[in-house]
Amino acid sequence: MDIRNSQIIDLPKILDKRGNLSIIEQYKNIPFKIVRTYWIYDVPGGEKRGGHAYRENEEFIVALSGSFDVMLDNGKTRMKFSLNRSYYGLYVPKGLWREMDNFSTNSLALVLASTPYDAGDYIYDYNDFIDLNNERK
Ligand code: TYD
């Protein structure tokens, strides 16, 4: 997977003195149908999440509150994205190793996913991930 397919996507922002509003519509703001939504919260200081790749699942990650970092790796290149605003998010294509860390107190990570939860879609071992990438070439 080409790591350059991952990208920060700006979301519509409706500014209002009563409070701001942002929007995500499938296929319009993000390039997949939203099949699943989950969120990560109450992360203790210093903890990491992720540490795996998906074979098929694509995701879009937004820091609805607070901040955290997402590290993406295609087996050759690593890129770090710092998410800290609720009006943009990170599109993560399938087939990339990903780790999340540096969560601030009270951070809230919203994750939109393109597939139903499937434990078989995960690659948990980094060496397996590298082997799979090499087989695909
Ligand atoms: P996991 O995806 O490994 O979390 P992260 O990548 O954020 O560290 O999931 C942690 C646990 O939650 C694991 O036991 C599977 C379960 N889980 C579900 O049951 N459904 C889901 O949609 C997700 C994302 C996780």
Side-chain angles (χ1 to χ4, degrees), residues 34-38 49 52-54 56-59 98 112-124:
I34 302 164
V35 171
R36 181 164 50 105
T37 304
Y38 62 93
R49 303 288 315 209
H52 55 69
Y54 300 114
E56 291 302 327
N57 188 44
E58 300 168 58
E59 290 189 333
R98 77 161 172 71
L112 308 179
S114 69
T115 64
Y117 174 69
D118 172 11
D121 192 44
Y122 283 70
I123 305 165
Y124 278 115

Side-chain angles (χ1 to χ4, degrees), residues 78-116:
R78 292 194 151 204
M79 286 177 75
K80 190 179 89 171
F81 298 87
S82 293
L83 301 186
N84 53 25
R85 291 285 184 271
S86 57
Y87 51 80
Y88 65 78
L90 176 64
Y91 169 61
V92 184
K94 64 183 174 183
L96 293 178
W97 188 263
R98 77 161 172 71
E99 292 173 13
M100 298 167 73
D101 65 4
N102 206 17
F103 287 89
S104 69
T105 306
N106 289 331
S107 57
L108 171 59
L110 174 73
V111 186
L112 308 179
S114 69
T115 64

Side-chain angles (χ1 to χ4, degrees), residues 11-12 23-32 34 112:
L11 299 169
I23 306 146
I24 303 170
E25 282 187 53
Q26 58 193 13
Y27 297 131
K28 190 169 171 187
N29 310 106
I30 58 172
F32 59 84
I34 302 164
L112 308 179

Side-chain angles (χ1 to χ4, degrees), residues 2-14:
D2 193 331
I3 202 164
R4 285 169 301 185
N5 291 339
S6 58
Q7 57 169 312
I8 294 287
I9 296 177
D10 287 318
L11 299 169
K13 188 162 57 163
I14 314 292

